[in-house]
Amino acid sequence: MYVFLISWLVRLAEKDLITETASKVEGKGRSRRKTAAAAAANFWAAAENKEQVLTVLADTLELDLAKLWKGPPEDSLVQLFAKCVFALLENPAITKTPTVQKGVGVVLRLLIRRYQQWSVSVLPSLMRLLHHHEHAPDVVADFIAEYATESEGADSNLVGSVLREIGRLSPRDVAKEATLAKNLAQCVCGIAERAPLDVVPCISVLHPHLDGESHVMRNGILQALCTLILKGFGARGDDSERADSSVKDQFFRILLERLHDVASYTRSKALQLWITLVEQQAVTLKVLPEVTKRALGRLQDKAAQVRKNAIQLLCTLMKYNQFGSTLRLSDFTLKMKECNALLNRDEDDLESSEEESDEEEKKNKKKEKKENKDGTSSDDAKEKKSSSDESEEECEKKTKKMQEKEKEKGEEEEAKEPPRKKCKVHNKNKPLPQDLDATRVATIFKGTPFEHIDLPLEQVLPQMQKLTAWVRDARRLITAVHAAVPQVAALLGSKNNSDIVEAIEFFTIANEFRVEVAQMGIRKMLTLVWSKEPAIREAVVAAYEKLYLTHPNPAVIAKNIISTTTGASLAELTSLEELLTDFMRRHRISPTVVDALWSFFGSSDSAEDDSCSALAVLGMLASGDPAIVLDKINLLVTVGLGPRRKRDERIARLACVALQKLRPQQQTQSSSASPQKKAEKRQEDEEEGGTKRRRSKKEKEKEKEKEKEKEKEMQPGVVLKNSHNLFVMLIEVITDMEIPALKWFPVAEQVISTIYALSEKPDQLAADVIRRLYKAALPDGDLGNATTCDVVGLSKLFFVLGHVAIKQLVYVEEVSQSRTETVKKEQVAADTGKNAVAGTSALEQELGAKEAQIECASDAMLLGAQEELVSSSCLLGMFSEFICDVCKNKDGKYNSRMLREAAVLALCKYMCASTTFCKDHIQLLISILVSAPESSIRSNVVMALGDLCWRFASVVEPFMSHVFEKLHDEDPRVRKNALLVLSHLVLHDMIKVKGQISSMTFALVDEDKRVSELAHLFFSEYSSKGNELYNSLSDIISALSVTPSVTIETFRSIVTYLFGFLSKERQFETLLEKLCHRIQVATELEHARNYIYCLSLLTYNDKCIRKLSEQFGCYKDRLADEDAYASFCAIVSKAKKFAKADMRSAVEELERKVQAVHEGRAPAENGGTDAPPAPIRTPAARRGRRRVPPTTTGRRRVHRRRRDEEEESDEQISLSSDSDDDAPIRRRTPAARKKTPAKKATKKVRASSSSSDAGAKRKKAKSSSGSEEEKKSEKAKKSSEEEASGSESG
């Protein structure tokens, strides 16, 4: 009686406590007054009261209750104790009171040991907890683990019974309940963590859940296996080590298999567990190659999280490798050769032994799989049959037998292995090498785990065998890393940020371990410095800082930076400059590193390549801090432009590039400012002016500080007089005829740019250079005499003329802009100094009238200066006719390719300088583009036309069709340049493409990979510009279909890629109608096939399905073709996937019609091909809508308001209800409406209106009938007059 009372009170108090806690969480108990139930709940919530109750229960159970009965106590009495305890366990607050939880464990242990309540009440109650309570897994795991550690003998097998009970659950039922799967997984992991030695023999009972549908359960089992590998195999004696190793191998095999799981979450979890095992050094060398191989396969997984974990696993394998701090394949290959020579084996024997070892491993795996299938299947079947009847002792016996079998298998394998190894790897009869001594052995063992082993020479060979196996495993790992490098490098271009960040980390670690092929990824990472994502940019900066700037020796840092420039492309050098500029602005590069770079450049002992690379790096650093070059001008002049340039002309070019960094940043950006940017700046200034009154004093002070910083940054750079020694050396370099012609052009370009960057009057120096080159090329001074001219000298002259024209144009714009700013400042000072009338001056200042006048005057002067630049009165204009004659080459005088290239390039630059010159010579340039046999000339002209279109759009745009034609040029460089130019112009709205966009689609399937990648990039950007791609898609399809050279595979490849950018349902609907009409008017079967294939690429919603059914007459004649029928089958199958329940019937009806026409049968009567299918009543129509009376005004109103097909179908149904049943559903013509009697119309109006409005509506009906009669009489008069006139004319 007392036990029942305590049990009842405890359960009632726990129920009230849980209810009170839930009400507080939900916010229901807001009243300040505490009720009696709340007070009782708070009293029972104290842990001391619960401990007292549990102490009483435990003391009661310790008594000999059997004396009260003749036999054991009744189960009903003992179960009262269990119910009381499990009522406490159901409260989530028990996890916060360990003392109460400990007391519950004491009571449960008494129930199990003394009263055998484990299978009767304890185990079912524990499983019920796991089914319904989220806090149960930790509680159950704690109790099971504590009981298992304190118990001995048969009582310690509680773990096995719990796991068997979990294994008996149906995997389907577990997958249906997410909470159950989560609780079971956490419980298994908790038990494995707390009692790993007891879980190892029983873990096999959970094997059915590995094939279940719940990935949460699979993840939990894999986590448990990982825990068992780390903790479940302690020191248990030599006899059990073999069994433990075989069990571990089975666990490893399961983890490897789960890397190919169906669920990406499980694959990701398996990779994470392998990372943990590698970090804990728990993976044996036997399993390591397979782990690396599986990780390589996951690099191409569809799930981003799996790819991320696969890269992390490869990084972990390198970090925690057992082969040293360097993973150079060449070093280990050399070590293997030394071992080979010591063992008297050849390289062929080595390769064959490695291959044989791999084959043997595969055979062993196959044998193990077969044994597992044969053995485990029967064992599992027996377990399933007898699991309910087996006792715990029988389970232990079975596990012991399994361990004994595994020991026997291990002994048999060991007995078989030694002879095989001895006969293949070591032969005792082979004599030792004669030159073998302690020094050679120490050299071979150096840097290996066997380095400190001192053995006599007679015992070296066994250690050498182990070393050979160790080196072979190292080579496998390094080879796998080498194989992963191309795949990880491809992930650097992924759209997922996590892929890119992890790939950067992979290459950073690979470079730290000296992997040879890691430089490929390191170079590819450079371009990511331009990424718009801050995480990617920061990862790149941090990676390069870690790679190159962390060494304590400045000379080593300088050498590392220099090494990145060797063999780098132009894009990589540009990216490196941006990166080094960022480092300089952040002060990450110390002055000692800069000094080391200058020493590399200036030292005569340095190699030419190192000097040039050091100078290139210094020029890049000067972009962030020009003071680096400012202090070393004399060194650059004496070394870079001195006699050393004759040995290597690159040093002169790089010296000029470094000197150009002294040019002020403001001047470099002034010429590139477009009108759009100026307008945006004005708008920002206006917005700032409007909000100026609202700004506080602190904000104004901050803005002033920012403006001061900008003024410091944009201070005018170094400007030198023309008599400076620098310009003397520059002119000497550019007029040096000993430099080879092809190497002279890049040097001359940088020399001229340096003159215009630093000279006070660059036009005078440029004129001096032109005169000197003119005298060298034409000693006679006759431009028309081609026989006495030097072709190379004349090519140099043309090149300088063109480049000077461009630089002079930029120089004129800079002078004009500086002059305009000076005049504005003077005008502002004059206005502020005057005491003029406040109203007029303030209004003019607000409107900016004077500033506008100053800008207009400067623009007019600038335009005049530009036109004057290449006129015949100037030095540059004197050569314009001669340049045109060389470009025309009428009589074949100028057949030199170098000369024609230089002349065409000069012509293009002249055209950029003047609008008039461009108009006069645009036809000549187009003729050169069309007829020039040299691909380099065509390529240059294409690029020049892009610049001209940007500058003089109205002049060049009519001729852009010739640039589109060059997309089909035979030379890939011309195609690439044409695509680059057109992409730039189209994306910046400089030209409008109509039907010419179809010619750009051919580049998607170009043979040249660079052209194809550029085309894919262009269309991905073009698709983001509103509906531009959609608007031109139908024209693209038609143009591709008509072009004879386009094959079916090419057409489908292009169209499939383009249709991937469509995402709006409205676009699908409109495009469907267009394609259906084009199918109907197609004159050839191939064209119709292409259009039908495009239909199969659309995504079908309800409206698309309805429209496709309505347009059946457009394509029914094409269904006899097998290809067209296959496309429509694909359409129907796709429509079934996306169709809703009420549209399934329409899709099935369409499928029947398509199949009937294809088979030559007539479609069903309700689905004829001549008329659209019967209208489908929507839910709105089924609810009933007001039917429109068949009057003229009513029909017009319906036609205006309801244009959708659904409303039109409702209207047809409403009209057909007034007609006969046998009459067809059709709309009445206007003539038929006129014949409708007025009485019939008034009846319908009278029926749908109230009595008060009946008279007014009757009048309207009469007036409408009268107006109709008047119109009828007027038409009759007109027809009679026409007949009379016709008879007269006859």
Side-chain angles (χ1 to χ4, degrees):
M1 181 66 184
Y2 292 108
V3 175
F4 171 76
L5 183 61
I6 290 174
S7 175
W8 180 74
L9 289 174
V10 168
R11 283 183 287 170
L12 183 62
E14 284 293 328
K15 184 178 180 181
D16 293 341
L17 179 60
I18 294 173
T19 305
E20 183 67 20
T21 305
S23 64
K24 288 181 179 179
V25 172
E26 295 176 0
K28 295 181 181 178
R30 297 180 180 177
S31 59
R32 295 183 179 179
R33 297 179 60 186
K34 294 185 178 180
T35 60
N42 292 333
F43 171 78
W44 178 246
E48 295 81 6
N49 300 326
K50 295 181 180 181
E51 290 175 9
Q52 292 179 3
V53 173
L54 290 171
T55 303
V56 171
L57 294 176
D59 294 340
T60 306
L61 288 173
E62 288 180 352
L63 298 175
D64 190 3
L65 299 179
K67 293 182 179 180
L68 301 176
W69 286 270
K70 295 181 180 180
E74 295 181 357
D75 290 340
S76 59
L77 175 66
V78 179
Q79 289 178 7
L80 288 176
F81 290 92
K83 290 180 181 179
C84 178
V85 170
F86 281 103
L88 293 171
L89 288 176
E90 290 178 357
N91 192 346
I94 195 171
T95 57
K96 301 178 181 179
T97 54
T99 56
V100 177
Q101 189 174 352
K102 185 177 181 181
V104 169
V106 172
V107 176
L108 289 177
R109 281 195 294 274
L110 289 171
L111 289 172
I112 295 170
R113 291 176 182 174
R114 301 193 62 176
Y115 300 97
Q116 290 78 37
Q117 291 295 313
W118 169 246
S119 59
V120 178
S121 60
V122 177
L123 181 59
S125 300
L126 291 176
M127 296 303 297
R128 188 175 66 252
L129 280 175
L130 292 175
H131 273 75
H132 302 290
H133 300 281
E134 293 183 357
H135 70 282
D138 293 333
V139 176
V140 174
D142 289 337
F143 168 70
I144 297 298
E146 186 177 358
Y147 186 87
T149 53
E150 293 181 0
S151 303
E152 295 180 358
D155 291 340
S156 63
N157 202 20
L158 221 66
V159 175
S161 58
V162 172
L163 295 180
R164 281 197 303 276
E165 193 67 24
I166 295 174
R168 286 173 185 162
L169 296 175
S170 174
R172 292 186 179 180
D173 297 339
V174 173
K176 292 178 182 178
E177 301 181 14
T179 305
L180 176 60
K182 182 180 178 181
N183 290 347
L184 293 177
Q186 290 181 0
C187 182
V188 171
C189 295
I191 295 173
E193 183 74 25
R194 294 168 176 84
L197 296 176
D198 297 316
V199 176
V200 172
C202 312
I203 193 66
S204 60
V205 298
L206 300 176
H207 190 271
H209 288 286
L210 285 175
D211 299 329
E213 298 178 2
S214 175
H215 71 273
V216 178
M217 192 66 189
R218 295 199 297 274
N219 292 355
I221 296 174
L222 295 180
Q223 180 68 52
L225 291 177
C226 179
T227 305
L228 294 180
I229 292 172
L230 295 174
K231 300 181 179 180
F233 302 96
R236 295 161 56 187
D238 297 335
D239 297 335
S240 61
E241 287 183 0
R242 297 171 183 171
D244 290 347
S245 63
S246 61
V247 174
K248 269 188 179 182
D249 292 341
Q250 292 180 5
F251 291 171
F252 284 140
R253 193 181 306 115
I254 293 172
L255 289 173
L256 286 172
E257 290 174 355
R258 289 300 122 186
L259 291 176
H260 298 283
D261 196 275
V262 178
S264 62
Y265 300 103
T266 304
R267 298 196 299 272
S268 178
K269 182 67 175 179
L271 288 167
Q272 292 174 6
L273 296 176
W274 278 112
I275 292 172
T276 304
L277 292 173
V278 173
E279 289 176 350
Q280 298 296 327
Q281 301 288 331
V283 182
T284 60
L285 291 176
K286 181 181 177 181
V287 185
L288 197 62
E290 188 65 23
V291 175
T292 312
K293 182 179 177 182
R294 298 291 179 93
L296 287 178
R298 293 301 93 207
L299 290 175
Q300 297 178 352
D301 199 280
K302 293 182 179 179
Q305 188 66 24
V306 178
R307 297 194 300 270
K308 175 182 176 181
N309 290 324
I311 299 174
Q312 289 180 353
L313 177 56
L314 291 173
C315 295
T316 308
L317 287 170
M318 288 188 286
K319 284 182 181 178
Y320 296 91
N321 76 87
Q322 304 175 22
F323 311 111
S325 59
T326 58
L327 295 177
R328 296 180 65 87
L329 185 61
S330 57
D331 296 344
F332 284 92
T333 303
L334 181 61
K335 187 76 69 178
M336 181 63 77
K337 290 180 180 179
E338 292 176 354
C339 297
N340 240 1
L342 191 60
L343 294 173
N344 294 326
R345 290 192 302 175
D346 298 331
E347 294 182 4
D348 297 336
D349 298 336
L350 171 63
E351 294 177 358
S352 62
S353 64
E354 289 182 356
E355 292 176 359
E356 288 174 1
S357 63
D358 295 337
E359 291 177 359
E360 288 169 3
E361 287 181 3
K362 292 179 181 178
K363 289 179 181 179
N364 293 333
K365 288 178 184 178
K366 290 180 180 179
K367 288 180 181 179
E368 290 174 357
K369 287 182 180 179
K370 288 181 180 179
E371 291 175 357
N372 292 332
K373 287 181 180 178
D374 298 337
T376 57
S377 60
S378 59
D379 294 338
D380 292 341
K382 291 178 182 178
E383 282 183 2
K384 289 180 181 177
K385 290 180 181 179
S386 60
S387 59
S388 58
D389 301 330
E390 282 182 351
S391 63
E392 297 175 356
E393 295 179 357
E394 293 175 352
C395 181
E396 282 189 356
K397 292 179 181 178
K398 181 179 287 187
T399 54
K400 290 180 180 179
K401 288 180 181 180
M402 291 174 64
Q403 290 179 357
E404 290 176 359
K405 289 180 181 179
E406 290 171 353
K407 291 178 185 178
E408 292 176 358
K409 290 179 182 178
E411 291 176 358
E412 292 176 359
E413 289 177 359
E414 281 192 354
K416 294 178 182 179
E417 283 178 0
R420 175 177 57 83
K421 288 184 179 180
K422 287 180 181 179
C423 65
K424 290 188 177 182
V425 180
H426 175 56
N427 190 355
K428 292 182 180 179
N429 297 327
K430 286 187 177 181
L432 293 172
Q434 296 180 358
D435 57 345
L436 182 64
D437 54 1
T439 306
R440 184 178 176 188
V441 172
T443 304
I444 295 174
F445 284 170
K446 186 177 181 181
T448 66
F450 312 96
E451 182 177 2
H452 302 289
I453 298 176
D454 295 332
L455 294 173
L457 295 178
E458 292 78 9
Q459 301 179 8
V460 168
L461 289 180
Q463 296 296 328
M464 192 62 63
Q465 296 172 11
K466 296 180 181 179
L467 177 61
T468 304
W470 182 81
V471 174
R472 183 175 62 248
D473 294 334
R475 290 185 64 193
R476 287 179 178 176
L477 175 63
I478 299 170
T479 305
V481 173
H482 281 225
V485 165
Q487 301 181 34
V488 180
L491 292 177
L492 288 173
S494 175
K495 296 181 180 178
N496 198 319
N497 292 347
S498 63
D499 290 343
I500 301 173
V501 173
E502 294 299 332
I504 292 170
E505 181 67 18
F506 171 82
F507 285 115
T508 304
I509 296 173
N511 191 75
E512 288 178 355
F513 283 92
R514 302 294 186 269
V515 178
E516 292 93 337
V517 294
Q519 286 298 321
M520 181 182 75
I522 296 295
R523 289 189 181 278
K524 195 172 182 180
M525 283 164 47
L526 274 172
T527 56
L528 295 175
V529 76
W530 305 101
S531 177
K532 297 179 181 178
E533 296 292 335
I536 297 175
R537 181 180 172 86
E538 290 297 328
V540 173
V541 173
Y544 278 97
E545 183 178 359
K546 184 178 181 181
L547 289 172
Y548 298 121
L549 304 182
T550 55
H551 200 278
N553 190 356
V556 176
I557 296 175
K559 188 68 177 176
N560 291 336
I561 299 175
I562 287 172
S563 64
T564 58
T565 61
T566 56
S569 62
L570 180 60
E572 292 170 354
L573 290 174
T574 307
S575 303
L576 181 61
E577 182 177 359
E578 177 67 18
L579 184 66
L580 294 178
T581 303
D582 188 33
F583 284 154
M584 287 301 298
R585 289 172 181 168
R586 297 185 183 186
H587 305 287
R588 301 293 176 87
I589 298 178
S590 62
T592 55
V593 176
V594 177
D595 295 338
L597 289 169
W598 280 116
S599 64
F600 271 110
F601 164 67
S603 176
S604 58
D605 298 333
S606 300
E608 296 294 336
D609 293 338
D610 292 342
S611 297
C612 293
S613 300
L615 186 54
V617 172
L618 288 168
M620 296 174 186
L621 295 176
S623 299
D625 187 8
I628 294 174
V629 179
L630 185 60
D631 299 335
K632 302 289 183 177
I633 292 180
N634 295 330
L635 181 62
L636 288 172
V637 172
T638 55
V639 178
L641 302 178
R644 198 170 173 182
R645 62 176 171 78
K646 294 184 178 180
R647 290 180 292 175
D648 192 350
E649 70 284 345
R650 292 179 301 167
I651 200 166
R653 177 176 59 83
L654 294 171
C656 293
V657 172
L659 288 168
Q660 291 172 34
K661 303 300 180 180
L662 298 173
R663 183 179 185 178
Q665 186 178 1
Q666 185 179 7
Q667 292 181 6
T668 57
Q669 294 179 352
S670 63
S671 60
S672 61
S674 62
Q676 185 178 1
K677 291 182 180 179
K678 291 181 180 179
E680 291 176 357
K681 189 176 180 182
R682 289 175 186 172
Q683 186 176 359
E684 291 176 359
D685 294 340
E686 291 175 0
E687 292 176 358
E688 290 178 359
T691 57
K692 188 177 283 187
R693 296 178 182 176
R694 300 179 184 178
R695 293 175 183 171
S696 61
K697 293 182 179 179
K698 294 182 179 179
E699 292 177 351
K700 291 180 180 179
E701 291 177 357
K702 289 181 180 180
E703 288 179 359
K704 289 181 180 179
E705 291 178 358
K706 289 181 179 179
E707 289 178 358
K708 289 180 181 178
E709 291 178 358
K710 289 181 180 179
E711 288 178 358
K712 290 180 180 179
E713 291 178 357
M714 297 198 174
Q715 284 179 355
V718 178
V719 178
L720 304 176
K721 295 183 179 181
N722 290 358
S723 59
H724 195 276
N725 187 33
L726 170 63
F727 301 116
V728 176
M729 297 299 295
L730 288 175
I731 294 175
E732 184 179 347
V733 170
I734 199 172
T735 56
D736 187 3
M737 296 301 172
E738 296 180 2
I739 302 176
L742 295 178
K743 297 179 180 180
W744 179 89
F745 291 106
V747 175
E749 180 182 1
Q750 298 303 328
V751 167
I752 295 171
S753 300
T754 307
I755 291 173
Y756 274 90
L758 303 178
S759 175
E760 184 181 8
K761 296 179 180 180
D763 50 346
Q764 297 179 2
L765 294 176
D768 188 16
V769 171
I770 292 172
R771 292 189 185 96
R772 293 190 181 193
L773 293 175
Y774 172 69
K775 291 179 181 179
L778 297 170
D780 299 337
D782 187 6
L783 295 176
N785 190 2
T787 57
T788 59
C789 69
D790 182 12
V791 174
V792 177
L794 195 58
S795 302
K796 293 180 179 180
L797 176 62
F798 286 165
F799 179 83
V800 171
L801 287 171
H803 199 57
V804 167
I806 291 295
K807 288 297 177 181
Q808 188 68 22
L809 175 66
V810 176
Y811 176 70
V812 169
E813 290 179 355
E814 292 172 358
V815 171
S816 176
Q817 184 179 4
S818 62
R819 181 182 178 279
T820 303
E821 291 177 357
T822 304
V823 172
K824 285 181 181 179
K825 290 179 181 179
E826 293 176 355
Q827 187 67 35
V828 170
D831 291 340
T832 54
K834 291 180 181 179
N835 295 324
V837 181
T840 306
S841 61
L843 181 61
E844 290 180 355
Q845 188 175 2
E846 186 70 22
L847 295 176
K850 294 183 179 180
E851 293 182 358
Q853 292 177 0
I854 294 171
E855 288 183 358
C856 291
S858 63
D859 291 342
M861 293 176 61
L862 177 61
L863 182 61
Q866 291 175 356
E867 295 296 332
E868 188 81 11
L869 190 62
V870 292
S871 63
S872 58
S873 59
C874 294
L875 178 62
L876 295 175
M878 294 173 60
F879 296 92
S880 59
E881 293 183 3
F882 185 37
I883 292 173
C884 294
D885 292 340
V886 175
C887 292
K888 294 176 183 177
N889 193 17
K890 291 183 178 179
D891 300 330
K893 296 181 181 179
Y894 312 103
N895 294 324
S896 174
R897 180 171 183 173
M898 182 190 299
L899 181 60
R900 296 192 71 239
E901 287 178 357
V904 171
L905 193 60
L907 176 65
C908 296
K909 292 180 179 180
Y910 271 42
M911 292 174 67
C912 288
S914 172
T915 309
T916 306
F917 193 87
C918 181
K919 291 179 180 179
D920 296 339
H921 297 86
I922 186 66
Q923 293 285 354
L924 174 60
L925 191 63
I926 297 300
S927 63
I928 294 171
L929 175 64
V930 174
S931 61
E934 298 88 356
S935 61
S936 58
I937 293 177
R938 298 197 302 271
S939 179
N940 291 337
V941 172
V942 166
M943 298 297 290
L945 285 173
D947 296 336
L948 290 172
C949 186
W950 187 268
R951 187 165 172 79
F952 311 118
S954 59
V955 178
V956 183
E957 188 176 3
F959 301 94
M960 290 305 295
S961 59
H962 298 282
V963 181
F964 281 96
E965 293 176 359
K966 291 304 165 185
L967 291 170
H968 307 283
D969 196 274
E970 58 184 8
D971 190 83
R973 187 173 59 175
V974 179
R975 297 198 301 269
K976 181 177 74 69
N977 287 348
L979 184 60
L980 275 173
V981 168
L982 292 173
S983 301
H984 183 71
L985 295 176
V986 171
L987 294 177
H988 288 83
D989 298 325
M990 294 304 299
I991 58 173
K992 294 181 180 179
V993 289
K994 298 176 182 178
Q996 299 168 337
I997 190 69
S998 60
S999 58
M1000 299 183 71
T1001 58
F1002 290 98
L1004 291 169
V1005 292
D1006 197 276
E1007 298 176 355
D1008 194 340
K1009 186 179 179 181
R1010 297 175 301 172
V1011 178
S1012 178
E1013 291 176 352
L1014 283 173
H1016 283 80
L1017 180 62
F1018 164 73
F1019 280 103
S1020 63
E1021 294 291 332
Y1022 189 62
S1023 62
S1024 61
K1025 290 176 63 64
N1027 295 326
E1028 295 292 335
L1029 181 60
Y1030 163 74
N1031 294 334
S1032 56
L1033 195 57
S1034 57
D1035 296 333
I1036 292 173
I1037 296 170
S1038 300
L1040 292 175
S1041 299
V1042 174
T1043 306
S1045 60
V1046 179
T1047 61
I1048 296 176
E1049 292 77 10
T1050 302
F1051 176 85
R1052 294 188 175 183
S1053 176
I1054 294 173
V1055 171
T1056 303
Y1057 176 76
L1058 295 179
F1059 269 70
F1061 295 111
L1062 300 181
S1063 57
K1064 299 179 182 179
E1065 294 183 354
R1066 183 63 180 170
Q1067 294 177 350
F1068 295 134
E1069 298 165 10
T1070 310
L1071 197 58
L1072 188 145
E1073 293 182 355
K1074 292 181 180 180
L1075 290 173
C1076 287
H1077 290 303
R1078 298 204 178 194
I1079 292 170
Q1080 188 176 16
V1081 300
T1083 57
E1084 295 185 9
L1085 181 60
E1086 294 181 357
H1087 300 171
R1089 286 177 180 174
N1090 293 337
Y1091 297 141
I1092 294 172
Y1093 177 78
C1094 294
L1095 283 177
S1096 66
L1097 299 176
L1098 298 176
T1099 301
Y1100 286 86
N1101 54 10
D1102 293 348
K1103 289 185 178 180
C1104 290
I1105 294 169
R1106 191 180 298 113
K1107 287 187 177 182
L1108 189 65
S1109 301
E1110 292 174 356
Q1111 301 292 336
F1112 186 79
C1114 296
Y1115 54 82
K1116 66 177 182 178
D1117 296 335
R1118 309 292 183 179
L1119 293 176
D1121 182 60
E1122 292 294 336
D1123 195 356
Y1125 176 70
S1127 298
F1128 267 100
C1129 290
I1131 292 171
V1132 171
S1133 63
K1134 185 185 293 187
K1136 286 182 179 179
K1137 295 179 182 178
F1138 298 100
K1140 297 180 181 178
D1142 55 349
M1143 291 300 297
R1144 290 290 176 87
S1145 59
V1147 176
E1148 294 174 356
E1149 180 64 25
L1150 177 63
E1151 184 179 11
R1152 287 193 294 270
K1153 288 163 62 176
V1154 170
Q1155 188 174 3
V1157 173
H1158 178 69
E1159 295 176 355
R1161 296 182 286 105
E1165 293 182 359
N1166 57 354
T1169 59
D1170 295 333
I1176 299 172
R1177 300 300 300 273
T1178 59
R1182 285 196 295 270
R1183 286 195 297 268
R1185 293 195 176 182
R1186 183 176 59 85
R1187 295 186 177 182
V1188 183
T1191 59
T1192 305
T1193 56
R1195 289 182 184 277
R1196 290 177 180 175
R1197 191 181 303 112
V1198 169
H1199 186 65
R1200 283 196 306 269
R1201 294 181 181 179
R1202 299 185 179 97
R1203 294 185 178 181
D1204 194 66
E1205 293 84 0
E1206 183 180 336
E1207 301 299 335
E1208 289 178 2
S1209 63
D1210 294 342
E1211 185 184 353
Q1212 291 177 1
I1213 294 171
S1214 64
L1215 292 174
S1216 63
S1217 61
D1218 295 333
S1219 59
D1220 297 335
D1221 296 334
D1222 298 333
I1225 299 174
R1226 64 181 66 179
R1227 294 196 177 197
R1228 302 188 213 181
T1229 59
R1233 288 195 217 110
K1234 292 179 182 178
K1235 295 179 182 179
T1236 304
K1239 293 182 179 180
K1240 191 173 181 180
T1242 54
K1243 284 181 181 180
K1244 292 203 172 186
V1245 172
R1246 199 177 294 136
S1248 61
S1249 61
S1250 60
S1251 59
S1252 60
D1253 298 330
K1257 291 184 178 180
R1258 194 179 297 110
K1259 290 180 181 180
K1260 289 182 180 180
K1262 289 180 180 180
S1263 62
S1264 64
S1265 62
S1267 62
E1268 289 175 359
E1269 291 176 357
E1270 291 176 359
K1271 291 179 181 179
K1272 187 176 181 180
S1273 61
E1274 290 177 0
K1275 286 187 176 181
K1277 289 180 182 179
K1278 289 182 179 180
S1279 60
S1280 61
E1281 291 176 358
E1282 289 176 357
E1283 290 176 358
S1285 62
S1287 59
E1288 291 175 0
S1289 63

